[in-house]
Amino acid sequence: MIFRVFDKDELKKLFNVMVSANKVIGPVEIGRDRDNKPIYAFNEVKSFDSVRLDYTTTKLPAKRYFLPFKENLATFSLDADDWQKKVDYNIDRPFIFFGLHACDINALNKLDKVLLGSIYPMPYYAAKRENMFIIGLDCTPQPYCFCRSMGADTALHGFDMFITDVGDLYFVEILSDTAFNFLKNIKTAEPVEDDHIQYMKVVSEKNKKFTTHVDTTDLTKILDMEFQSDVWKQWGEQCLACGTCSKVCPTCYCYGVEETIDINLHGAKKTKFLYSCNLIDFAEVAGGHNFRPERHSRLKYRYYHKHRGFVEAYEESLCVGCGRCGEACLAGITVPEVIASVRGEAG
Amino acid sequence: MDAELRFVNVISDAQMKQHRKSDLSTFEYTYKAEITNIHRLTEMENLYRIQIIDPEERRQFFFKPGQFLMLELPGIGEAPFSISSSPARHGDVELCIRKAGNLTNFLSRVGRGTHVGIRGPLGTSFPMEQMHGQNILLIAGGLGLAPLRSAIAYTQDNRSRFNSVDIIYGAKDPSQLLFTYLYDVWRADDIELSIIVDKPDTSWKGPTGLVTKIIEKMFAERDVSFYKNTYAIVCGPPVMFKFVCNMLNQKDIPMQKMFVSLERRMHCGMGKCCRCNVGSTYTCLKGPVFDYWTVMNLKEAI
Ligand SMILES: Cc1cc2nc3c(=O)[nH]c(=O)nc-3n(C[C@H](O)[C@H](O)[C@H](O)COP(=O)(O)OP(=O)(O)OC[C@H]3O[C@@H](n4cnc5c(N)ncnc54)[C@H](O)[C@@H]3O)c2cc1C
Ligand code: SF4
Ligand code: SF4
Ligand code: FES
């Protein structure tokens, strides 16, 4: 890995070089909540001053750029009994992501495992993923963050460069040749021993700031043993089955497919839309049988998929501990509390 | 340097033609096929004969009994169906489809010559080769005969490779019996066929009750040595296969020599949409065919 340091003023220059020829997505403030706290989102940014490098967590992940809520898998032209199918992966340019936190980068790394694996890789995702240039940015743990428990507080790969604020300077890890070349546009220097010390100090300060923890020891086994546990029923009573948790989750990818005929009857579309396993008809089949009719069985399934099934398949969980779902849930259901209760710990 | 990033096109035209599981283009690749015949089996079920139009693609289409495909009618929908025909027929398949919803009802109204799309074959299969030299029990309830029919066809095509072949088939009433035109052919191929209906009509001369009644009769007639060399495939609703498999297990047929096919909602068939998950197992990839031991160990399976 190559490390460099550069003056804080240089970052704007780097941004300007990038934005001069590319679409750049970055964290911006889009409003205030009722406590007058900023609401952040990943949007297209044209000027460096609108990028909020100090952002906490965006309400929605950057998912819409690589797993849009709705996209056409195919379009058809219809002609009597015949038709032609046209497949488009719905991307025509690269995007630069300026300032993703480690959790959101790790979310992409997890998605890659399912969506880019060797068994039926998904071209719609692959096409967008291949065209993402990612600049990571360090962050400050919030009260709801438990990424450290999930092993997602640092990103080891899945970015082009990762920037850490070490006081007077930015410390940057460079993973790709493209990133290395971009950095030639600004003044950077080889880090000296003092910079390393400063970097390590920043990291250890950050680690002290985590207040929420999840115990994942033996969690797959515990989930199996507690499959019939009453705690699921209690969470089910609380859950509104609204599906918000999946919508805001950077690692949720489940979907449904629908076909529609154009009004002029000459064309048709096959559309994919992200879905949530908490919605009532997720596992309902034709004829009306529903494999998970109760809210608690669906909520349990979501945890089961993330914290057991995915672990079994890839030796890591499908949750990065970003805390978005808990923050967005109107019923106040949070991952740390659910897992603690399943483990039999008083919540 | 030039600040503009290069756009990466993930699939070149050259790659578009391959269909390995690991190819990006496989995901949404559709074989264009034609409905060459529609055979009305009952009031609710039709048998569709569907042929991949391109002769080369048709020849290259290999599947195994128990596998399914995704059938698409552009603008109407796409859904999974078990292939009901002999694997020796390659891409000239038969699907036995019950009217159940949007797509299936629409299909019941289209005519010969309609073009449809096919993705697949998908999922696991009954391990027919493993069963060579053994007795086979093929047990179906209701529409379960659809996936079973492909296994039946395989035993017909390879009759010398199996000892006794039994089909035990139960339906609600005589009007719902599927594939009636084939019963004589099966018998001619030395397959023991027992049919039972739950609600007989006035013309019904066969036994009445559930498939378990036929199995009990079989238990009374055959000695223990029979079950030592026997595989079973059980297709039907979960309550049915659970009951039947547990009965067979009493005769010491190992659970790993019994196979069932699970049905779940599916929107991709390729391990991506998650709609088919049982516990955390993808029915479309690890199934739909499972041995009974595996099913017993799946959370949420029965
Ligand atoms: C592995 C497998 C094999 C099958 N084999 C057969 C068969 O041989 N013959 C047969 O008649 N039926 C079979 N089915 C059931 C068949 O898929 C459903 O009847 C069909 O999906 C109903 O679609 P629809 O559009 O008419 O219904 P709608 O209710 O309008 O369904 C809309 C969509 O939901 C999904 N869906 C709904 N019900 C089911 C279901 N039961 N299974 C999977 N997806 C569903 C599909 O994507 C479908 O397009 C099989 C299902 C599976 C999973
Ligand atoms: S857990 Fe919360 S956000 Fe998720 S479906 Fe239930 S109520 Fe909605
Ligand atoms: S489950 Fe919740 S905490 Fe975990 S990654 Fe998804 S939104 Fe973040
Ligand atoms: S059908 Fe989509 S994951 Fe199995």
Side-chain angles (χ1 to χ4, degrees):
Chain A
M1 199 179 289
I2 298 176
F3 303 106
R4 305 292 284 183
V5 287
F6 57 85
D7 265 353
K8 287 205 155 164
D9 295 341
E10 295 293 312
L11 190 59
K12 183 171 182 171
K13 280 190 216 155
L14 181 67
F15 177 89
N16 286 337
V17 171
M18 291 178 163
V19 84
S20 70
N22 302 285
K23 275 212 188 265
V24 180
I25 311 299
V28 296
E29 183 181 325
I30 53 160
R32 296 261 159 178
D33 65 12
R34 67 177 106 77
D35 303 324
N36 201 32
K37 286 212 203 94
I39 297 171
Y40 298 110
F42 291 114
N43 280 351
E44 188 181 348
V45 279
K46 297 233 154 88
S47 104
F48 183 70
D49 298 328
S50 61
V51 180
R52 287 290 300 267
L53 296 170
D54 62 339
Y55 81 107
T56 53
T57 311
T58 54
K59 288 277 176 223
L60 294 172
K63 197 154 81 168
R64 71 173 149 129
Y65 297 99
F66 43 87
L67 286 176
F69 289 107
K70 218 169 187 176
E71 77 174 312
N72 287 338
L73 297 180
T75 49
F76 300 89
S77 53
L78 308 176
D79 175 25
D81 270 348
D82 200 17
W83 45 264
Q84 300 304 324
K85 181 172 185 173
K86 192 169 166 286
V87 172
D88 187 338
Y89 302 139
N90 309 314
I91 181 144
D92 60 359
R93 73 187 64 202
F95 283 92
I96 292 176
F97 290 80
F98 201 92
L100 291 190
H101 289 163
C103 58
D104 283 345
I105 293 171
N106 282 314
L108 280 160
N109 291 339
K110 288 178 193 290
L111 287 173
D112 287 354
K113 302 224 153 132
V114 226
L115 302 179
L116 298 183
S118 59
I119 302 162
Y120 304 121
M122 197 174 199
Y124 305 88
Y125 175 80
K128 296 176 188 79
R129 189 74 174 96
E130 279 293 327
N131 286 292
M132 292 175 83
F133 178 92
I134 297 174
I135 304 174
L137 187 66
D138 74 319
C139 53
T140 310
Q142 301 301 306
Y144 47 80
C145 294
F146 58 99
C147 53
R148 196 163 161 75
S149 301
M150 305 314 295
D153 55 325
T154 51
L156 301 176
H157 63 103
F159 54 85
D160 293 86
M161 61 171 120
F162 199 103
I163 296 170
T164 305
D165 184 338
V166 290
D168 300 333
L169 299 168
Y170 283 122
F171 185 96
V172 58
E173 297 168 55
I174 307 163
L175 278 197
S176 79
D177 179 33
T178 322
F180 187 81
N181 282 330
F182 264 128
L183 286 167
K184 287 181 185 160
N185 289 289
I186 63 168
K187 268 203 255 50
T188 64
E190 194 80 36
V192 294
E193 190 53 30
D194 264 1
D195 297 325
H196 291 164
I197 291 168
Q198 187 59 25
Y199 177 82
M200 288 184 276
K201 210 173 117 197
V202 167
V203 170
S204 88
E205 284 300 316
K206 174 182 166 182
N207 288 346
K208 286 186 204 138
K209 287 185 192 143
F210 286 100
T211 52
T212 302
H213 304 277
V214 170
D215 182 1
T216 58
T217 330
D218 278 339
L219 188 54
T220 53
K221 268 183 244 166
I222 291 168
L223 284 170
D224 258 4
M225 290 187 289
E226 298 304 320
F227 194 77
Q228 304 297 352
S229 164
D230 276 343
V231 299
W232 292 117
K233 296 220 172 68
Q234 289 158 24
W235 290 115
E237 289 289 309
Q238 239 169 288
C239 174
L240 308 165
C242 63
T244 302
C245 43
S246 312
K247 288 281 172 265
V248 302
C249 177
T251 58
C252 274
Y253 59 89
C254 305
Y255 65 89
V257 175
E258 224 171 57
E259 304 215 2
T260 45
I261 295 188
D262 300 346
I263 286 179
N264 65 17
L265 303 180
H266 294 309
K269 288 184 191 69
K270 182 178 190 184
T271 311
K272 160 182 184 262
F273 51 95
L274 294 189
Y275 217 62
S276 167
C277 51
N278 275 320
L279 297 175
I280 185 146
D281 62 348
F282 186 82
E284 187 179 291
V285 295
H289 183 72
N290 194 334
F291 287 95
R292 294 188 206 98
E294 308 98 358
R295 277 171 297 170
H296 76 83
S297 59
R298 298 194 295 276
L299 183 108
K300 175 164 73 179
Y301 164 76
R302 182 162 185 269
Y303 281 83
Y304 222 71
H305 182 195
K306 286 190 175 292
H307 299 277
R308 184 189 181 282
F310 204 81
V311 185
E312 194 178 48
Y314 304 107
E315 288 175 20
E316 55 181 84
S317 112
L318 184 61
C319 168
V320 292
C322 69
R324 282 188 180 97
C325 58
E327 286 296 288
C329 177
L330 289 174
I333 301 174
T334 72
V335 178
E337 282 179 83
V338 171
I339 290 184
S341 73
V342 176
R343 299 187 75 97
E345 295 157 10
Chain B
M1 82 175 257
D2 180 6
E4 188 176 347
L5 290 174
R6 193 175 54 87
F7 175 64
V8 184
N9 203 343
V10 289
I11 301 185
S12 65
D13 288 343
Q15 287 166 321
M16 279 309 271
K17 287 260 176 289
Q18 307 180 337
H19 310 299
R20 285 181 305 244
K21 268 189 188 178
S22 57
D23 290 333
L24 280 176
S25 60
T26 304
F27 192 80
E28 199 50 49
Y29 185 81
T30 304
Y31 293 104
K32 198 188 263 192
E34 180 168 327
I35 298 181
T36 55
N37 194 34
I38 301 170
H39 179 164
R40 190 167 179 273
L41 296 179
T42 71
E43 201 185 318
M44 292 303 286
E45 286 98 5
N46 284 328
L47 185 68
Y48 297 83
R49 184 149 179 180
I50 296 171
Q51 190 176 69
I52 294 178
I53 294 172
D54 183 276
E56 193 47 39
E57 283 191 337
R58 193 187 320 145
R59 237 191 330 272
Q60 298 274 328
F61 188 89
F62 288 98
F63 72 91
K64 292 180 169 172
Q67 285 193 292
F68 67 98
L69 48 72
M70 294 296 276
L71 182 72
E72 178 171 34
L73 205 52
I76 308 299
E78 185 183 48
F81 298 98
S82 300
I83 306 175
S84 258
S85 46
S86 161
R89 292 228 316 246
H90 294 256
D92 185 3
V93 298
E94 285 178 338
L95 306 178
C96 170
I97 298 180
R98 172 179 290 176
K99 285 184 257 180
N102 249 344
L103 172 69
T104 47
N105 275 305
F106 195 94
L107 272 173
S108 73
R109 295 192 298 267
V110 304
R112 279 182 192 159
T114 303
H115 286 185
V116 294
I118 287 178
R119 288 192 298 127
L122 301 164
T124 54
S125 58
F126 306 118
M128 301 308 292
E129 278 116 12
Q130 232 181 72
M131 302 179 194
H132 286 175
Q134 300 258 323
N135 306 311
I136 321 201
L137 294 174
L138 303 162
I139 305 173
L143 192 55
L145 195 58
L148 205 66
R149 157 96 192 288
S150 182
I152 298 172
Y154 181 95
T155 60
Q156 289 175 280
D157 293 345
N158 301 276
R159 189 62 191 87
S160 63
R161 298 199 170 92
F162 297 93
N163 289 335
S164 73
V165 179
D166 287 79
I167 299 174
I168 301 173
Y169 173 39
K172 219 173 245 143
D173 61 64
S175 75
Q176 295 192 19
L177 288 172
L178 299 167
F179 298 110
T180 46
Y181 69 101
L182 287 173
Y183 298 167
D184 286 341
V185 185
W186 292 344
R187 290 195 172 108
D189 279 331
D190 192 24
I191 293 172
E192 180 93 27
L193 174 64
S194 318
I195 297 171
I196 188 161
V197 298
D198 199 17
K199 296 191 176 65
D201 58 14
T202 45
S203 63
W204 180 250
K205 295 192 186 66
T208 48
L210 303 172
V211 283
T212 47
K213 197 162 159 187
I214 308 248
I215 297 169
E216 271 158 15
K217 191 165 148 261
M218 179 183 78
F219 281 178
E221 286 165 3
R222 298 193 192 172
D223 59 37
V224 254
S225 65
F226 172 81
Y227 304 101
K228 282 206 167 35
N229 301 305
T230 297
Y231 273 87
I233 301 178
V234 187
C235 293
V239 273
M240 175 261 178
F241 71 64
K242 183 181 168 185
F243 215 87
V244 169
C245 289
N246 288 343
M247 269 179 95
L248 296 177
N249 194 235
Q250 287 164 19
K251 290 285 168 188
D252 289 335
I253 299 182
M255 290 194 230
Q256 281 169 338
K257 287 176 84 176
M258 298 182 216
F259 295 87
V260 303
S261 177
L262 294 192
E263 192 180 319
R264 284 296 185 280
R265 185 162 187 156
M266 294 189 178
H267 280 245
C268 73
M270 294 184 165
K272 298 294 173 282
C273 73
C274 300
R275 304 300 284 268
C276 69
N277 280 21
V278 178
S280 47
T281 301
Y282 290 89
T283 308
C284 64
L285 296 179
K286 293 278 164 67
V289 174
F290 292 95
D291 66 54
Y292 190 55
W293 170 254
T294 307
V295 171
M296 292 277 290
N297 283 287
L298 288 181
K299 301 276 180 215
E300 294 191 326
I302 323 186

